[in-house]
Amino acid sequence: MARANPTYSPSVRRRRLGRHLRSLRDKAGYTMADVSQRLGWAKAKVGKLETSELKTVKPGDLDALLDLYNVEENEQREALHQLARDAKQRGWWWKYRDVFGAESLPDFEAEASLIRTYQVAIVPGLLQTPEYAEGVFLGGRYTSPDKIKRQVDARMERREILTRYERPPRLVAVIDEAALRRPMGDRDVMRGQFEYLLRIGQLPNIDIQVLPFAAGPHAALGMSFTLLDFPDPLDAPIAYTDSVASGVFEETEAEVESYTATFGELQGAALSTVQSARFIEDILSEESDES
C-alpha cells in the first residue's frame, strides 16, 4: 500500500471516479442493467462502482467499462486509472483510523477547498488547543489516559490542514456563545483556548464568527453540522452531522442545499469577525478578572 498523502482524500477520489463512470455510462446510452448484461456482472457491482461503495476498482474492470463506453483517448483512460490508484492510497488520518473510523470527516477535509461549520456546545475540532481537546475527551466515557492522549494527538494533526503550505482550505466557523461559556478545563485551559482563537482567526483563510445568546432563536437550534466544498466541479458538496455513535454524511442536493441555507442564516445572525474577536476578548477579560 502506498504511503499516506496529506493533501488529498482517497474517498473524494473514489467519489469522483464514480461520477465519471456514471457520466460515461449516461453518455453511451446504457442503463446499469445493460452494463451488467454486456459484461456479465451483477447489477449491484455496477451501482457500487458508481456510488464509490467499492473501495478498490480493479484495472481490468475499469478497462472493461471504458471499452464498453468507447473511451479511446489514452489521456482520458490514464486519468481515470490514476483516480483508481489514488483511491487506494491512505490518507494522513489512516494511522488514526482507530480514532476516526474507516470513512471519516478528516478524510474529506483533506481535499476540501471550503469548510463551513456551526458548533453549539464546543469549539470546532479544527480550532481546539490540546488542553481544550483533552477536556472534551475527558467528558466522554471513562477510558485510559493513553487513549485520551491518542485522541488529542489525532485532533492536533487534523488541524494542521489549516496552516499547511499547499492549498490550505478556507474555514468559516460560526460558534455559539454556549460553546465559549462551557468550561472544558480550568481557567488556564479556557484562557489558552480563547487566545488561540484570537491568533488563528487572523489567518487569511480562517473566519470565526460568534453567535451570541442575544441573537435569540435561529434555524439551527441544538444542531451542529459541517459543510464541505471541493475544488473539482465533479466533487459535489457534502454535509456532515455528528451523532452519538458516529457521524452522518448527507450528499443529496436537496439536503446539502438545506444545510447551506441554514448556514447562511446563521452567518447573518452572528457577529462579524471583528465583532466576534472583541466578544472573545471580553470573555477573556472576564476570565482574567475572576482569577
Side-chain angles (χ1 to χ4, degrees), residues 230-257:
F230 305 93
D232 192 301
L234 272 178
D235 300 331
I238 60 175
Y240 175 88
T241 57
D242 280 315
S243 67
V244 174
S246 62
V248 177
F249 289 98
E250 300 287 356
E251 302 187 48
T252 65
E253 186 175 349
E255 286 284 355
V256 174
E257 285 182 354

Side-chain angles (χ1 to χ4, degrees), residues 173-229:
V174 176
I175 308 173
D176 198 283
E177 182 178 347
L180 302 176
R181 298 292 183 183
R182 180 178 296 278
M184 290 294 169
D186 59 24
R187 285 194 172 92
D188 287 340
V189 169
M190 297 307 294
R191 185 181 300 113
Q193 178 63 70
F194 295 144
E195 290 173 346
Y196 181 73
L197 288 175
L198 292 171
R199 289 198 308 274
I200 198 76
Q202 296 180 54
L203 294 181
N205 61 313
I206 298 176
D207 289 341
I208 298 173
Q209 294 179 256
V210 175
L211 184 64
F213 292 146
H218 55 80
L221 283 172
M223 175 180 65
S224 297
F225 64 93
T226 299
L227 286 159
L228 299 102
D229 290 78

